[in-house]
Amino acid sequence: MCYNKFMNITIKGTIRKVIFRSNDGYTVGLFKVKESQTEEYANKTITITGYFSETSLTDTYELNGKIIFNNKYGEQFQVETYKLNQPETHDELIYYL
């Protein structure tokens, strides 16, 4: 699938590691992509940036945003909106409880 790196895309997955978090919620982390609108990011771990009220390494998130290039840190997914997904499988539900 072709896409413009400046257009918004949606990815789903889990936060693997929080690298930085400020007092106002700005977060830099590593995100394991499980589903993506583009094959380029499916099943890969990417750097994400954005504002989160809180994060969990066990929850599944749906992130909407765009790929940006930072001269110092390289390619990043800039999160504009996100939602916490409810557990979908039996194993996720058991883990959640």
Side-chain angles (χ1 to χ4, degrees), residues 40-52:
E40 183 178 353
Y41 300 105
N43 298 311
K44 293 191 177 168
T45 300
I46 62 173
T47 301
I48 60 168
T49 63
Y51 290 89
F52 291 82

Side-chain angles (χ1 to χ4, degrees), residues 72-90:
K72 186 173 182 180
Y73 300 109
E75 191 173 86
Q76 302 174 341
F77 186 85
Q78 184 177 28
V79 178
E80 294 178 0
T81 62
Y82 74 94
K83 74 175 187 175
L84 179 63
N85 286 347
Q86 299 299 319
E88 296 177 356
T89 67
H90 181 271

Side-chain angles (χ1 to χ4, degrees), residues 10-87:
T10 300
I11 57 176
K12 294 179 185 178
T14 55
I15 296 173
R16 294 308 220 177
K17 179 179 181 181
V18 174
I19 298 169
F20 171 80
R21 182 169 174 82
S22 69
N23 290 337
D24 65 354
Y26 181 77
T27 303
V28 177
L30 297 179
F31 189 80
K32 176 66 175 175
V33 179
K34 293 182 182 175
E35 295 178 38
S36 173
Q37 290 176 303
T38 66
E39 291 182 25
E40 183 178 353
Y41 300 105
N43 298 311
K44 293 191 177 168
T45 300
I46 62 173
T47 301
I48 60 168
T49 63
Y51 290 89
F52 291 82
S53 57
E54 49 183 83
T55 57
S56 167
L57 301 180
T58 58
D59 292 327
T60 301
Y61 293 87
E62 182 175 305
L63 310 179
N64 187 328
K66 59 186 153 204
I67 301 299
I68 62 166
F69 187 82
N70 180 295
N71 287 333
K72 186 173 182 180
Y73 300 109
E75 191 173 86
Q76 302 174 341
F77 186 85
Q78 184 177 28
V79 178
E80 294 178 0
T81 62
Y82 74 94
K83 74 175 187 175
L84 179 63
N85 286 347
Q86 299 299 319

Side-chain angles (χ1 to χ4, degrees), residues 2-14:
C2 293
Y3 69 99
N4 177 341
K5 287 195 176 193
F6 299 110
M7 70 181 218
N8 280 18
I9 60 173
T10 300
I11 57 176
K12 294 179 185 178
T14 55

